[in-house]
Amino acid sequence: MSTQLSTPAAQIGTTDWNLTGIRTSRAGERCGHCPRTLKNLYDVENRVTGQKMTVGRGCCKKVTGWTLAAAEAARILRAAAIEARQAAVWAEFAAEHPKDAALLEADIAAWRPAWPSQANRPAHIKNNISRGATPRSWWAGCMREYRRTRCA
Ligand SMILES: [Zn+2]
């Protein structure tokens, strides 16, 4: 039996490989690269070729060329999970308010700060929506306010 921690894609270092999961297997599973039986399994996928493998951390380095520390592996998977969750919230917002989402995206792309450290306001709003800081019940009001005060 194996335990799946999570399955979002996270880039391994600067390589073409994504880490798609960290699993533990009580019975052990055969490494996809060497003959060893592993308890700690790293699922990796090449973004370019689509090749998928399950390897140990040592072979992860041999396959991807990147020394992946266990803590770093856990961290990039967590970050990818947060990113995926935020993208899902943004997709919900865009489905409910397509014109507002398109306006924010366009404003984010067109943003030029009036002074060097000026924050990208539409990006800030998108970020707040995506990470749930702006609750769903405020979405419409927040965008009314944005449309009223934005510099077009
Ligand atoms: Zn191996």
Side-chain angles (χ1 to χ4, degrees), residues 1-7 19-30 37-43 54-57 70 73-74 77:
M1 199 200 105
S2 66
T3 316
Q4 189 80 32
L5 285 184
S6 62
T7 50
L19 180 66
T20 57
I22 305 172
R23 295 180 292 124
T24 55
S25 169
R26 208 165 294 173
E29 216 176 278
R30 175 83 178 266
T37 299
L38 308 163
K39 303 231 181 249
N40 296 308
L41 305 157
Y42 293 79
D43 296 318
T54 296
V55 292
R57 210 156 51 78
L77 266 194

Side-chain angles (χ1 to χ4, degrees), residues 31-36 38 55-56 58-59:
C31 177
H33 185 73
C34 76
R36 289 178 60 201
L38 308 163
V55 292
C59 283

Side-chain angles (χ1 to χ4, degrees), residues 8-20 45 47 66 68 72-73 75-77 80 83:
Q11 185 175 356
I12 297 173
T14 54
T15 71
D16 289 338
W17 292 84
N18 283 345
L19 180 66
T20 57
E45 181 176 3
R47 287 190 309 283
W66 188 267
L68 189 63
E72 183 192 7
R75 185 184 57 73
I76 64 175
L77 266 194
E83 212 171 281

